[in-house]
Amino acid sequence: ASMVSVSMWLLAAAAATRCCTVAAYGEYKEGDPVPVYVNKVGPYENPHETYHYYSLPLCRPEKIIHHSLSLGQVLDGDRMADSAFDIKFKQPSTFRSLCGKQRLSGADAVALAEAIEKMYYAELIIDDLKVHHFLGSVLEEPTVFPHTHRVFLYTHYEFELEHNEGHVIAVHLRMNRSSMIELHHDTEASVDIGYSVKWRQTSTPVGSRSLSSSSSSSTFFAASRAGAVHWLSITGSLLLVGMLVTTVGFIVASAVKRDLTRYNKLGDEERDDYDDLALDNGWKTVAGDVFRPPGYPMALSAVLGAGAQLLILAAALLLIGTTEVVAVHNHGLLHSLCVVVYALTSGIAGYVSSHKYQALDGKRWIANINLTSLVFVAPLAAAWAFSNTVAWIYGSTQALPWTTVVALVAIWGLVGYPLTVIGGLLGRAVRAGKGSSAPFRTRTIARELPHESCTRRTPMQALIGGFLPFSAIAVELSYIYSTMWGRETYTLYGVVTIVFCILIVVTACCSIGLTYLQLAGENYHWWWRSTLIGGSIAVYMFVYGVAFLLHSTSMGGVLQLTQFVTHLSLLCYAAALACGTISHVAAATFVQYIYSSVKSD
């Protein structure tokens, strides 16, 4: 029943993703108008500090006509509106005025000059391809003191569009620096912003159009160098995995085999009762306590359920991106997929949590289901409420409209939560099989724990267990951070899939090795510690993110830093849940195996 239910959820997720495959770009004949929308503006160094394009006095129409957006586009901070650009397919044009001569007041000139000084960029959407450009440039005067500079506004946009088989393949935008005008603070100015269009035939297929739009050829060279670094980091990670698996497997297998051999030499009378195992030392000594239910079993079950759901979500997104079932690079589609797939996989969280809670003799299963549904959603909602409030105060497009908030709440309330309840009912109905039952009876009186040194205690063991998994993904993580808080577009989903598999293997090996050392030290409190061993990767990810902020970016300001901290915290929290689940499952499987081997002998 569990396999059938999981298969149904995955099929539903696949069907939902196919509903999102409608092409956002068009097919044109010569002379057909190509849609051009204005979107947002903001400081180049602060990718999440964005404002509406028409918040600046650049050819602002009397009536702004907004374009309908998908859920993913709204979550990405997009606010598309009609523009005055008139581009026709395969028809070049010389300089054409965008809105005629425009008179800028002193206040308008100040607003534009300040935006240019802050390196504001603007984003256009041409046939669903994003195109970015700076508003102007700043010329520093050679004088040392007093420091002065001149501010110039670009007034001539030069578009070069590539086409193939009736489709727009790529858009390149260059600003003509010979036609820019100087802006003076508090001084009126007259500007005439215009554009010219060129068309060029290309052999690039339509399927690669989202990878072809750029403003400089250096982007392709950077991508080539990045690809080489990707494969180099994967090679190093694979070597680490091989060494780790070999080492952990050899040490643990040889130690367990040695202990079992010593145990097998005992006579039959000595093995009649498992209490006689207390005469031996090591992990067999705690056979009567190792399966004792942990403290806070409901919380542990909820964490494992939420972690399992996030693992399935990550695997589904990587599978979709790698197989290119849908074009995840399309404008805003990835955000939509995250929401839809997360809602449809909520049943997995309910099933895993309820099944685990039942195995730990839990009784309050309704409270367990409710807690499971909130383990990730509640921190997500709290972080969003805080960052959204700050964005709303600043008037940023990162603040979600109330209609989007209602839609997200409805998706969770009508799809996510009911599926969590259904999964919880299924998990509660499925009984644990023979292989998952405890091979030893639990002692009536708990065994006293031995004294442990500082390095053998939970905090230090958890930090040790999180370091190796982090080191395996550190290089790839830098590219993910650059995508989230930079201007790069990540496209190598196959590489991320390999790194994801490496992360699973390394986390499982670390958990097994450290759990064996813990049991060999006669400490049977492994339930939560094994979870924290994998979850501690979040500590390293957060520290790495702060280092990335300080040394690899120039981000600043309350709005951007709020967005950065909330996004990074949620990413690390999700990683802690997912990796903690991997670590716990690996440790539980190992513990079940070694004690079942003792009992069977």
Side-chain angles (χ1 to χ4, degrees), residues 48-61:
H48 291 114
E49 184 182 348
T50 55
Y51 307 96
H52 197 283
Y53 184 93
Y54 287 129
S55 63
L56 294 177
L58 284 176
C59 290
R60 184 189 299 155

Side-chain angles (χ1 to χ4, degrees), residues 287-321:
D289 296 283
V290 73
F291 295 101
R292 186 181 303 278
Y296 307 103
M298 184 186 297
L300 178 63
S301 302
V303 166
L304 297 179
Q309 180 186 3
L310 292 173
L311 282 173
I312 297 299
L313 171 64
L317 292 178
L318 290 176
L319 180 63
I320 293 171

Side-chain angles (χ1 to χ4, degrees), residues 229-285:
V229 175
H230 279 298
W231 291 112
L232 183 62
S233 67
I234 286 180
T235 303
S237 298
L238 289 175
L239 291 176
L240 172 64
V241 168
M243 294 174 58
L244 186 62
V245 171
T246 303
T247 303
V248 172
F250 177 77
I251 294 176
V252 174
S254 61
V256 171
K257 183 178 180 180
R258 183 182 65 249
D259 291 340
L260 290 176
T261 301
R262 290 173 56 194
Y263 176 69
N264 289 335
K265 292 181 179 179
L266 297 174
D268 291 338
E269 291 119 5
E270 295 174 291
R271 289 187 287 174
D272 283 341
D273 194 345
Y274 72 88
D275 288 332
D276 289 337
L277 289 174
L279 298 176
D280 202 355
N281 294 321
W283 55 273
K284 296 190 301 299
T285 308

Side-chain angles (χ1 to χ4, degrees), residues 52 86 207 329 342 522 572:
H52 197 283
D86 184 15
H329 309 297
Y342 181 83
E522 302 179 8
C572 294

Side-chain angles (χ1 to χ4, degrees), residues 395-446:
S396 171
T397 60
Q398 296 296 323
L400 297 182
W402 69 270
T403 52
T404 304
V405 177
V406 171
L408 291 174
V409 173
I411 290 174
W412 180 80
L414 299 178
V415 180
Y417 181 75
L419 285 178
T420 305
V421 175
I422 294 173
L425 293 175
L426 290 175
R428 184 169 175 261
V430 175
R431 297 290 179 181
K434 278 188 177 181
S436 58
S437 59
F440 286 96
R441 297 190 306 272
T442 301
R443 297 177 187 270
T444 305
I445 301 176

